């Protein structure tokens, strides 16, 4: 592996000195692993003329290389942009699909809320209607009780009036019979005179111990303080 080997390589003159140096070092390091080292035969020789002849690339070559790389870079940019657009379209599609999947759930949730609100409104309306009907029933009961009480009062009053009217008729009849029987012609306050004595119906009822007639005469207007010819009232006879 002398200078003739490196010089005969097709890419030798186009390779940079650093690459040649690395290749030589790699080859040198490999010999110890492949076969025993022989100082006489394995010594690496460099062709300094060939290495010196490998000059850096010219500006024109660099421009050609850049011009060759520019279309490739443009294609890479366009491919990257296309990939970005594709990813963006995929993301939009996924977002739209996710939105479409969520929309039925949102609609179902909205429908459920509307149903709950409607049910709550129906329950409130039924409760209000029940309370209103209960108030009407209570008012009707109160009105019926008041009417019954008024009718009872009117009935009692009418009954009392009828009873009092009957009692009045009975009393007047009894007083009239008493006055006629004892010869009193001047009513409950008229005196009955004979010779020098005078008496009154109330005195006669008290003297005969007729308590019922005393009450009747007083109710008919007899004067309890009326004095007879002896100067005594009914309580004193």
């Amino acid at each position: 592996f002398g200078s003739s080997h490196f010089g005969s390589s097709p890419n030798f003159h186009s390779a940079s000195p650093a690459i040649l140096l690395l290749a030589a070092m790699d080859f040198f390091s490999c010999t110890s692993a492949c076969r025993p080292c022989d100082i006489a035969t394995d010594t690496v020789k460099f062709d300094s003329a060939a290495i010196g002849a490998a000059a850096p690339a010219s500006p024109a070559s660099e421009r050609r290389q850049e011009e060759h790389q520019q279309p490739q870079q443009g294609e890479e940019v366009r491919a990257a942009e296309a990939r970005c657009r594709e990813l963006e379209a995929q993301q939009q599609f996924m977002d739209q699909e996710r939105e479409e999947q969520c929309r039925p759930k949102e609609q179902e949730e909205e429908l459920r809320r509307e149903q709950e609100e409607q049910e709550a409104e129906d329950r409130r309306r039924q409760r209000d209607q029940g309370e209103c009907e209960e108030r009407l029933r209570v008012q009707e009961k109160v009105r019926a009780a008041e009417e019954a009480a008024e009718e009872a009062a009117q009935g009692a009053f009418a009954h009392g009036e009828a009873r009092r009217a009957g009692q009045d008729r009975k009393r007047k009849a009894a007083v009239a019979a008493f006055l006629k029987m004892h010869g009193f012609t001047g009513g409950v306050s008229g005196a009955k005179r004979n010779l020098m004595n005078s008496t009154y119906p109330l005195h006669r009822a008290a003297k005969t111990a007729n308590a019922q007639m005393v009450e009747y005469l007083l109710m008919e207007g007899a004067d309890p303080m009326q004095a007879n010819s002896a100067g005594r009232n009914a309580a004193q006879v």
Side-chain angles (χ1 to χ4, degrees):
F1 292 94
S3 60
S4 61
H5 175 76
F6 287 101
S8 62
S9 175
N11 297 326
F12 176 79
H13 294 287
S14 61
S16 64
I19 294 176
L20 294 174
L21 181 60
L22 290 174
M25 292 175 65
D26 181 71
F27 176 79
F28 181 79
S29 62
C30 181
T31 55
S32 61
C34 297
R35 57 186 175 82
C37 179
D38 188 354
I39 298 175
T41 60
D42 293 339
T43 301
V44 178
K45 298 179 180 180
F46 295 95
D47 190 348
S48 59
I51 294 174
S58 63
S61 176
E62 292 180 355
R63 283 195 300 273
R64 285 194 300 271
Q65 186 176 1
E66 291 177 357
E67 291 175 356
H68 176 72
Q69 291 177 351
Q70 284 178 355
Q72 184 178 1
Q73 292 176 353
E75 292 178 358
E76 292 177 355
V77 170
R78 287 191 293 272
E81 292 177 351
R83 180 58 179 168
C84 289
R85 289 192 296 270
E86 182 181 356
L87 292 175
E88 184 177 358
Q90 291 179 357
Q91 184 64 35
Q92 291 178 355
F93 176 77
M94 293 173 62
D95 293 342
Q96 183 178 1
E97 187 177 11
R98 184 166 52 252
E99 183 179 356
E100 291 177 355
Q101 291 176 355
C102 294
R103 187 177 296 111
K105 295 182 180 179
E106 294 176 355
Q107 293 176 352
E108 182 179 355
E109 182 66 19
E110 181 66 21
L111 180 60
R112 185 184 63 81
R113 286 196 298 268
E114 291 179 356
Q115 290 177 350
E116 290 179 353
E117 292 176 357
Q118 184 63 36
E119 291 175 357
E121 180 65 20
D122 293 340
R123 288 193 297 269
R124 185 189 63 79
R125 188 181 298 108
Q126 291 177 359
R127 183 177 63 254
D128 294 343
Q129 183 177 359
E131 292 177 354
C132 181
E133 292 176 354
E134 182 64 22
R135 286 195 298 269
L136 291 176
R137 285 194 295 269
V138 171
Q139 292 176 358
E140 182 65 22
K141 289 181 180 179
V142 171
R143 187 182 63 81
E146 291 176 350
E147 290 179 354
E150 184 177 358
E151 290 178 358
Q154 291 177 355
F157 178 78
H159 180 71
E161 288 294 322
R163 183 178 179 182
R164 282 192 295 272
Q167 291 175 351
D168 290 344
R169 288 193 298 270
K170 180 181 178 181
R171 184 181 66 252
K172 290 181 180 298
V175 169
F178 177 80
L179 295 176
K180 183 178 180 180
M181 183 179 62
H182 293 281
F184 292 99
T185 59
V188 296
S189 298
K192 177 182 177 183
R193 294 180 176 85
N194 55 359
L195 299 177
M196 298 181 62
N197 296 324
S198 61
T199 186
Y200 295 89
L202 188 59
H203 290 74
R204 180 59 60 88
K207 189 174 182 179
T208 58
N210 191 343
Q212 184 67 55
M213 186 53 60
V214 170
E215 182 180 358
Y216 284 172
L217 291 171
L218 291 174
M219 293 177 67
E220 289 296 320
D223 185 6
M225 302 306 296
Q226 180 70 49
N228 58 10
S229 58
R232 297 177 180 177
N233 57 33
Q236 295 172 342
V237 296

